Amino acid sequence: MKNLLLASLALLISCRQQNDLDKVNIERNFVEVSQIDTSIKPGNNFFMYVNGIWYDTAKIADDQSGVGSYSFLNIPQKQLLENILEEVSATENPTGSIEQKMGDFYASGMDTEAINKRGFEPIKPTLEEIQSINDLSALMNFVTDEIKSNNESIIGLGISPDAENSRINIAHFSQTGLGLPDRDYYFKTDSSTLAIQQAYLDYLATLFELTGTEETLAKKDAGSVYAIEKKLAESHKTRIERRIVKENYHKLAVAELAQKQPNIGWSSILDQLGLDADSVDVRQPAYYEALNKMLTSVPLSDWKTYVKAHTLSSYAEVLSKPFEDASFAYNKVISGQSTQLSRAQQMVQKVDRQLGYALGQLYVKRYFNEDAKKRVLDLVNNLQKAFESRINKLDWMSDSTKTQAKEKLYAITKKIGYPDEWREYDVKIDKTKYFENVLALRQDQSRYQLDKFGKAPNKLEWGTTPSTVTAYYNPSLNEIVFPAGILQYPYFDLYADDAINYGGIGMVIGHELTHAFDDQGAQYDKDGNVKNWWTEADYEKFKGKTQQLIDRYDTYTVLDSVHVKGAMTIGENTADNGALYIAYEAFKLTEQGQDTTRIDGFTPDQRFCLSIARIWRVKTRDEFLRTYVNTNSHSPAIWRVNGPLMNFDPFYTAFNIQPGDVNYKSEEERIKIW
């Protein structure tokens, strides 16, 4: 009877939530006129013209690093997921069902009394194993064995398509081994970076102290770990260097690697992981060359301290409260958060991370409107046609390259809403054993990835969970993906006029389509292979145009003096700029696009531009923004609006942008690629 009542209550809540969502959709004003700051000229700062009043009054929650759209739209999404998990965890579900696995995993993590009582007892066997390491071979065996628990330290392994033969998955080895956000953080000496370095050293020392090391020795050990990481960082390629696809693909014979880098033990690593490979892709060879030397030049005792630190850090958030607090104390210096998320929200993140496709099934059933999938597919098809039209009209590309580009454009696979085939999780979840559940799920994830080796890529697989507010293009599979999470306002709404939807999700669709032709995507053919399909002259012209964007974005700043990295963000900036024209051209094919009727006092073209500014409405903490500019391949939100609009002719007409306006560019200065 109890279960029946709970089920009935869940159904009632679900129906009420759907009714509420429908009501909001029908009544929403898609242009928030009251939020527009008319004291700001559109040509001076369109981002603030549209979002300024909101920006000046929006409050960032203490447990968040920002608020608004894009990734921060995941904050309310997580509340919806919490509603689901609270219900399934309070219900008796059939053993082995996704509801049982999710509900019991969530419940096990909510039992903080039991977790805190165990302290670091769950990880003691692993620490004892580290302590027993007595030679280099044993060290590498431990490092490799931890990969089976999805816990990497000095070996970065991934299984994905071969860049030159996308029909088969191979092993890729990448640079890794660092604890700071990026290799540059070990060498910069500005005050904010020094604060992050110190916070990291304090974090490492705290982890050692919490597992029984005396304070003075704990600080010394933290310094030893940091020294190893800094030395490894010297061999790392920068984020900009990693954008050059061909320079990060090196398919090498295992026998050759074993001979040149004997300390790593390549053959043993592959055997231990069950990978029968005679060659592998070493994406950043300099890292593994440095690692091979360091494995003997750095004392074994220091390496043991290093793997202990990385093991503790990997599990800190799933141990008792002192470990969790230590992890947060470090991360808040990077994010700017002042308080931790509630325990429920922490567990939502963990369930979404480790059982995300199971949780996604319930999210889709409860919150996703199937009509959205059909409507967005129509938009994608319309944007493809608009993109083809723009390719045909390019004055810098030859006909032969245009033919290749259009073949690739129409070969793109479209994934919308949720997977056609749901991933299964081969694990047993115990409601009373949180740490063991985490470990079992990590091991399942590792098995899932390793099992791909030597097989054809699963083209039904998704790289993001359905509830996540995101979208992506995958060059190896030549596919674009739009999960259910992003198919909501302000990106998309079934009740919105075309100007809003084409300026919203249309912009996102155009962005992902353009990624197939950005500085990286342009190096892949329609089948996902790294292969040149350009004439030499066309590719040189393309590189010249992307360099113009790099130079332009290098001049943009946030926080007064922190410059956007044009070369690091060139892929996203190319996609943003191309998306504007592609989405607009598709919009102009619609009835509203060909009309001039005003809604809320704005013309269709104005509403299109307003929607673009609205989807990037974001406010962040300074600490987060500084880290973002240093590590993220996207430009900050303000420049995702103002930057592309400077190059967008219809914007000048729609809002009467004139010489003298801050963001005015003459026609000759407006950069256009796609």
Side-chain angles (χ1 to χ4, degrees), residues 10-11 13 17 82-91 366:
L11 179 61
I13 291 171
Q17 286 168 333
E82 183 180 333
N83 295 343
I84 294 172
L85 291 171
E86 284 290 336
E87 289 178 26
V88 296
S89 65
T91 307
R366 177 174 296 194

Side-chain angles (χ1 to χ4, degrees), residues 152 223 339 480 646:
E152 294 183 349
T339 62
I480 51 176
M646 288 185 203

Side-chain angles (χ1 to χ4, degrees), residues 431-482:
K431 201 170 188 175
T432 65
K433 296 181 179 179
Y434 176 55
F435 183 87
E436 286 76 6
N437 290 337
V438 170
L439 188 58
L441 286 164
R442 289 189 180 189
Q443 291 170 343
D444 180 67
Q445 176 63 18
S446 180
R447 285 193 299 271
Y448 179 78
Q449 294 298 328
L450 292 172
D451 188 56
K452 297 178 184 179
F453 176 79
K455 298 178 181 177
N458 178 4
K459 295 192 176 183
L460 296 177
E461 184 181 35
W462 279 45
T464 184
T465 59
S467 64
T468 304
V469 180
T470 190
Y472 68 88
Y473 169 75
N474 180 351
S476 295
L477 297 180
N478 196 25
E479 64 180 8
I480 51 176
V481 184
F482 307 98

Side-chain angles (χ1 to χ4, degrees), residues 275-296:
L275 303 178
D276 184 13
D278 55 14
S279 63
V280 296
D281 171 27
V282 182
R283 286 178 167 162
Q284 292 84 33
Y287 168 78
Y288 287 96
E289 291 168 6
L291 175 63
N292 182 67
K293 295 175 182 177
M294 289 175 63
L295 284 170
T296 52

Side-chain angles (χ1 to χ4, degrees), residues 391-407 533-535 538 541:
I391 290 172
N392 287 334
K393 291 183 287 189
L394 291 176
D395 61 4
W396 57 269
M397 182 180 281
S398 67
D399 288 343
S400 61
T401 305
K402 286 179 180 179
T403 298
Q404 296 290 321
K406 287 183 288 186
E407 286 182 6
W533 48 271
W534 299 69
T535 67
D538 288 345
K541 292 175 186 175

